[in-house]
Amino acid sequence: RVREAVVSTQSTGASSLFQRSVPPIIAFSLGSLGFLTPFDFKEFPTTLNKVLKGTLGFTLRNRLEATLWNKGSNDDDEDAVIVPESLQVLNEVVIHRGIYSGVCMVDIYCDDFFVTTVIGDGVIVATPTGSTAYAAATGASIVAPSVPCFIIAPICPHSLSFRPIMVPLNCILKCKLNNDARGDALISFDGRHRQDFTKSHVVEICASEFPLPCIDKEGSMQDWFNGLQTTLQWNGRSATQKPMDKK
């Protein structure tokens, strides 16, 4: 039986309130675009009774832990390194050019191995949950919530061959501005905590120890496919192909 739970109309907002362990989330839809709100608010009493009786299951949605480091003006001065904040992120970490007119140049490292430099409007590091959010607008794959991975998706890359990729969840990613970048950037976490991202900053992203438990309406995969079809109109057609006439 469930001893405590959080009733929410927005799972991302509930995630930001709990920066460590999270009680199960019961997410109700109020009619807006909510991919993580499988329950109709009109069914509130019935749903709550089912949750309290323990007849519904839940899905653990992986979160990211993002730590923003500021190394100051001297990269060789280890004493200048500070950790201003570490955040639990449900959807994505976004680095983008913001108000700056030039392209953004972001170096990406995986387990301290240099991977590539993103040249474009920015880059998104997303969870499978975030694959239906901002990352979907970049053409990244839509990923089921149970898949243990990160999504690295460039925003409007200045390249014809830069496709979004997925990397294992046990990787530690680091992003920083390239030394040749002509301007600063902005960074945000689930659309919140937006701040300047300069050459003195490094953001480290890894798997969080505190996933988000979301109560399922019918089941993890059933709710996910229902969300794709009803909210995103996945593979929706206004007409179907007619069979060929038989002679």
Side-chain angles (χ1 to χ4, degrees):
R1 289 174 178 248
V2 175
R3 295 182 179 271
E4 59 180 0
V6 176
V7 177
S8 172
T9 58
Q10 186 186 37
S11 293
T12 304
S15 172
S16 65
L17 293 175
F18 295 91
Q19 288 296 297
R20 295 185 67 83
S21 59
V22 190
I25 304 293
I26 314 169
F28 289 93
S29 174
L30 295 179
S32 61
L33 181 64
F35 194 85
L36 301 180
T37 52
F39 297 102
D40 191 329
F41 192 76
K42 297 177 181 178
E43 303 172 353
F44 178 85
T46 304
T47 301
L48 200 59
N49 285 333
K50 290 181 179 179
V51 171
L52 295 177
K53 291 179 181 179
T55 58
L56 297 178
F58 61 89
T59 297
L60 287 177
R61 291 181 175 268
N62 290 316
R63 294 196 291 179
L64 307 177
E65 181 176 294
T67 306
L68 187 62
W69 302 75
N70 187 346
K71 293 188 175 182
S73 59
N74 186 357
D75 291 340
D76 297 327
D77 184 4
E78 294 184 358
D79 294 333
V81 178
I82 61 173
V83 186
E85 60 181 318
S86 182
L87 297 170
Q88 307 298 312
V89 179
L90 178 62
N91 285 330
E92 71 277 300
V93 177
V94 180
I95 301 172
H96 60 99
R97 65 185 180 91
I99 63 174
Y100 304 103
S101 59
V103 295
C104 189
M105 300 178 65
V106 182
D107 292 341
I108 298 179
Y109 295 81
C110 180
D111 294 334
D112 292 325
F113 172 78
F114 174 72
V115 177
T116 191
T117 298
V118 179
I119 302 177
D121 280 359
V123 64
I124 298 171
V125 179
T127 64
T129 298
S131 69
T132 55
Y134 193 177
T138 68
S141 296
I142 296 177
V143 184
S146 58
V147 178
C149 70
F150 295 134
I151 301 165
I152 302 174
I155 304 172
C156 299
H158 194 257
S159 170
L160 297 177
S161 60
F162 198 162
R163 301 295 302 159
I165 61 172
M166 290 182 285
V167 296
L169 195 62
N170 59 0
C171 292
I172 297 177
L173 302 178
K174 291 182 181 179
C175 300
K176 71 180 190 68
L177 289 186
N178 187 275
N179 291 331
D180 294 330
R182 296 184 178 182
D184 294 337
L186 294 176
I187 187 169
S188 62
F189 308 87
D190 277 344
R192 304 166 185 261
H193 308 286
R194 189 177 67 175
Q195 55 191 285
D196 289 334
F197 190 74
T198 69
K199 291 181 181 180
S200 67
H201 288 97
V202 177
V203 62
E204 181 178 291
I205 304 169
C206 63
S208 170
E209 297 180 4
F210 307 103
L212 188 79
C214 294
I215 301 293
D216 298 326
K217 182 177 182 179
E218 299 179 11
S220 177
M221 294 305 296
Q222 294 93 323
D223 287 355
W224 184 65
F225 276 112
N226 287 338
L228 289 180
Q229 293 166 348
T230 59
T231 304
L232 297 182
Q233 300 296 311
W234 177 65
N235 198 29
R237 291 171 178 243
S238 58
T240 58
Q241 187 179 40
K242 296 181 179 179
M244 295 180 64
D245 293 335
K246 296 182 179 180
K247 295 182 179 180

